Amino acid sequence: MIQNDTLRNSLNFILFQSGWFVCVLYPGLPAAGFVALLLAFHLALVSQHRFVELQFIGAGTVLGGVLDGIWFQTGILDDGSGSVQLTPVWLVGIWAIFMTTLSHSLSWIGSKPWLPFVCAPVAGPFAYWSASKLGAVELPDMPLSLIALAFGWLVVFPALLYLRKFLYPELIR
């Protein structure tokens, strides 16, 4: 395990960005497998509370996967096939690798109570919009999709930080 906080946060950021780009550029089961490998590196080199963090990652991945599933079911997101589906496995992978950032490279967002409410409704939809521009997902009705994503992230991101604070306090630095 890496002892230096800056190095751990930097590696966490690199692992997340690598996972996000692989999942978006090559959406599918192999991308999710790549994320599993990145999670193993994260747990081995970055995490200081592996078992607790793995629980937190799992809880957030389920929550995020359900939220994305709702967006697919309601037409906020589309995979381009036109059929209603469950959350694609590569998008579940993005949730898993994203969850690692909440206790490391993005932990600073929880330092001010108002900050998640400002950052999340902008950054969340931006990630989906970026993925749509790279061809991984479609936003069928761009304005409606972005508004729904902003509202969803306004709720889910602070909820994840709340979950971390009260159920997994050892992950807060």
Side-chain angles (χ1 to χ4, degrees):
M1 174 187 355
I2 298 170
Q3 297 302 317
N4 182 287
D5 282 346
T6 303
L7 188 54
R8 275 199 325 271
N9 286 341
S10 298
L11 180 57
N12 173 253
F13 178 77
I14 291 166
L15 292 172
F16 167 69
Q17 290 299 316
S18 300
W20 189 89
F21 276 109
V22 167
C23 284
V24 167
L25 294 174
Y26 307 101
L29 192 55
F34 181 70
V35 166
L37 181 63
L38 295 180
L39 286 171
F41 278 114
H42 170 82
L43 292 170
L45 300 175
V46 177
S47 181
Q48 294 177 306
H49 304 280
R50 290 178 182 100
F51 184 69
V52 172
E53 189 167 4
L54 191 57
Q55 291 175 21
F56 178 60
I57 291 167
T61 301
V62 168
L63 183 63
V66 167
L67 181 60
D68 281 348
I70 291 168
W71 286 332
F72 275 99
Q73 295 293 318
T74 59
I76 299 300
L77 296 177
D78 194 299
D79 69 349
S81 71
S83 65
V84 178
Q85 65 170 17
L86 298 174
T87 306
V89 67
W90 63 269
L91 202 44
V92 172
I94 289 178
W95 274 103
I97 200 72
F98 169 73
M99 288 303 297
T100 69
T101 67
L102 297 185
S103 298
H104 300 282
S105 60
L106 291 182
S107 64
W108 59 272
I109 291 178
S111 66
K112 304 280 186 216
W114 54 268
L115 201 50
F117 295 98
V118 173
C119 294
V122 175
F126 180 74
Y128 289 86
W129 175 83
S130 299
S132 76
K133 293 302 175 189
L134 293 171
V137 70
E138 292 180 9
L139 306 176
D141 181 344
M142 184 73 69
L144 178 62
S145 292
L146 292 175
I147 290 168
L149 290 165
F151 180 73
W153 275 83
L154 180 65
V155 173
V156 79
F157 190 75
L160 291 170
L161 294 177
Y162 180 86
L163 181 75
R164 182 190 66 173
K165 181 177 181 179
F166 289 102
L167 294 182
Y168 307 102
E170 38 300 53
L171 299 178
I172 298 175
R173 292 182 291 158

